[in-house]
Amino acid sequence: YLAIAKGYEPLLLLPIAFGMLLTNIPGTGMFHMDFYNSGTIDYGQVLQEGGLLDILYLGVKLGIYPPLIFLGIGSMTDFGPLIANPKSFLLGAAAQGGIFFTFVGAILLGFTPQEAGSIAIIGGADGPTAIYTARTLLAGGNEQMIGSIAVAAYSYMALVPLIQPPIMRVLTTKKERAVVMEQLRPVSRTEKVIFPIIVTLVVSFLVPSAASLVGMLMLGNLMKESGVCERLVKTATNELMNIITIFLGVTVGATTTYDVFLTWDTIKIVVLGLIAFCLGTACGVLFGKLMYLFSGGKVNPLIGSAGVSAVPMAARVSQKVGAETDPTNFLLMHAMGPNVAGVIGTAVAAGTFMAIFGVK
């Protein structure tokens, strides 16, 4: 309904929903969650006895699909605004506060650290990262939660234009929303080529668990900015991205069997995911207010809300809310800095959870 009638993230929500339908039809034999719930996978059994979705689900289980999605995202992303204003990294980091606050709340509600980390990462509004984190932390455990987490993550990504604006208006004054920021400096091609290499090295050494996501993100970006891989960029952003999106959506949806999905735990996941996303937005805006104060009123706090990973939707929301106060104010490029920083920040937060609570 959300995908077709409302147009909310249809490329993911529609395959997820149909995967949910397929897995709950009795007797089809397309998916067997019990193949994956043990500590080890019998790949021979999956290939010989498994159905279509069992085999496609190996791409989720082995951590293949989300990094390939990141490859496509990187091929479409311009890190120029972030390079031009490195302070945007701080806003992207601040917006991850919702993840860690929600992690504590999920622990208090009785979830295990692995389950809490998987739920909390929804606050980053990054579906592939949420799926990648959940499949790692829940390996050999409650993997049926992956479908619920994916549905919540992509639903809130789609609802960014509805959820964020009220929070942004409550936390800022009209004077703050009206701040016109200075034009960003031009970024050279050399800077854009060096940036993905440096980020890959730094993140991989600091948080090795995040290397798969960040590395593929930066590979895609390097192909784009190098200007010599036009065919690869076209494939990554179109054919490959579309194929992986179908496989990822249908197989994640297949994990949501009725006996697991229609439970109080699913409601808790959806509610906690919403709280995480709202807190992440609030943390970004509040840190933006601090930057407004310390900069002498030169930073518009609205761009802090874009620190969540919903690229480029969150940046567009910052632009929209700012334009409501001053139609001549153009915040989009300023908001893109925190927005793409949020993608990196969410991947680092996910890597932190995987390093601490993942199966050794």
Side-chain angles (χ1 to χ4, degrees):
Y1 173 77
L2 290 175
I4 298 173
K6 300 296 183 181
Y8 292 160
E9 291 291 332
L11 299 184
L12 253 302
L13 290 186
L14 194 149
I16 287 175
F18 207 81
M20 296 169 73
L21 171 65
L22 290 174
T23 198
N24 285 289
I25 299 176
T28 61
M30 296 183 71
F31 188 74
H32 304 81
M33 196 69 238
D34 53 298
F35 287 175
Y36 303 100
N37 269 340
S38 60
T40 57
I41 304 174
D42 186 340
Y43 294 100
Q45 182 184 32
V46 174
L47 295 175
Q48 293 178 24
E49 302 176 19
L52 172 65
L53 298 183
D54 286 311
I55 296 171
L56 292 181
Y57 185 68
L58 288 172
V60 176
K61 186 66 180 177
L62 298 175
I64 297 172
Y65 296 155
L68 290 181
I69 293 286
F70 263 55
L71 177 69
I73 293 173
S75 298
M76 296 185 288
T77 302
D78 180 9
F79 285 102
L82 178 58
I83 299 171
N85 184 16
K87 294 178 183 177
S88 298
F89 267 115
L90 298 177
L91 292 169
Q96 309 312 312
I99 294 175
F100 295 101
F101 286 130
T102 304
F103 172 77
V104 175
I107 291 289
L108 295 176
L109 286 177
F111 288 100
T112 66
Q114 289 77 15
E115 292 169 346
S118 302
I119 295 168
I121 210 70
I122 296 172
D126 189 327
T129 302
I131 293 170
Y132 189 82
T133 306
R135 75 96 198 175
T136 302
L137 295 182
L138 301 177
N142 192 9
E143 289 201 30
Q144 293 97 328
M145 287 177 59
I146 294 177
S148 304
I149 290 168
V151 169
Y154 282 108
S155 296
Y156 294 137
M157 284 175 64
L159 295 173
V160 164
L162 299 179
I163 297 173
Q164 284 197 317
I167 299 171
M168 296 161 69
R169 295 188 192 104
V170 167
L171 295 178
T172 56
T173 64
K174 185 176 181 180
K175 180 182 177 181
E176 291 169 340
R177 294 195 294 272
V179 171
V180 177
M181 297 180 65
E182 296 179 359
Q183 186 174 353
L184 294 172
R185 69 171 179 84
V187 178
S188 69
R189 177 171 176 265
T190 301
E191 290 177 287
K192 289 187 175 183
V193 169
I194 293 175
F195 180 80
I197 300 172
I198 297 298
V199 171
T200 300
L201 290 173
V202 171
V203 173
S204 298
F205 280 116
L206 293 178
V207 191
S209 304
S212 295
L213 293 175
V214 175
M216 295 304 285
L217 177 73
M218 293 302 155
L219 171 59
N221 186 251
L222 181 60
M223 293 192 304
K224 169 182 177 290
E225 300 299 350
S226 69
V228 296
C229 299
E230 184 178 346
R231 288 168 53 193
L232 298 184
V233 171
K234 181 181 177 183
T235 298
T237 56
N238 292 288
E239 291 85 357
L240 180 62
M241 187 85 155
N242 292 335
I243 292 170
I244 298 302
T245 296
I246 295 171
F247 289 174
L248 180 67
V250 174
T251 53
V252 165
T255 65
T256 56
T257 53
Y258 74 94
D259 57 324
V260 173
F261 191 72
L262 301 179
T263 64
W264 284 110
D265 277 349
T266 297
I267 295 176
K268 291 178 185 178
I269 290 170
V270 172
V271 172
L272 285 169
L274 177 60
I275 292 172
F277 181 67
C278 291
L279 286 176
T281 300
C283 288
V285 173
L286 291 174
F287 196 86
K289 288 172 73 74
L290 283 178
M291 293 184 70
Y292 167 84
L293 293 173
F294 285 111
S295 67
K298 294 181 180 180
V299 175
N300 191 315
L302 292 177
I303 68 172
S305 66
V308 296
S309 301
V311 179
M313 195 179 301
R316 290 174 181 165
V317 171
S318 297
Q319 164 66 27
K320 179 177 179 293
V321 176
E324 291 173 357
T325 303
D326 180 1
T328 65
N329 195 359
F330 194 71
L331 292 174
L332 182 61
M333 293 310 295
H334 297 284
M336 281 302 298
N339 207 184
V340 295
V343 177
I344 300 172
T346 301
V348 170
T352 302
F353 283 140
M354 290 186 285
I356 298 174
F357 302 113
V359 177
K360 300 295 188 291

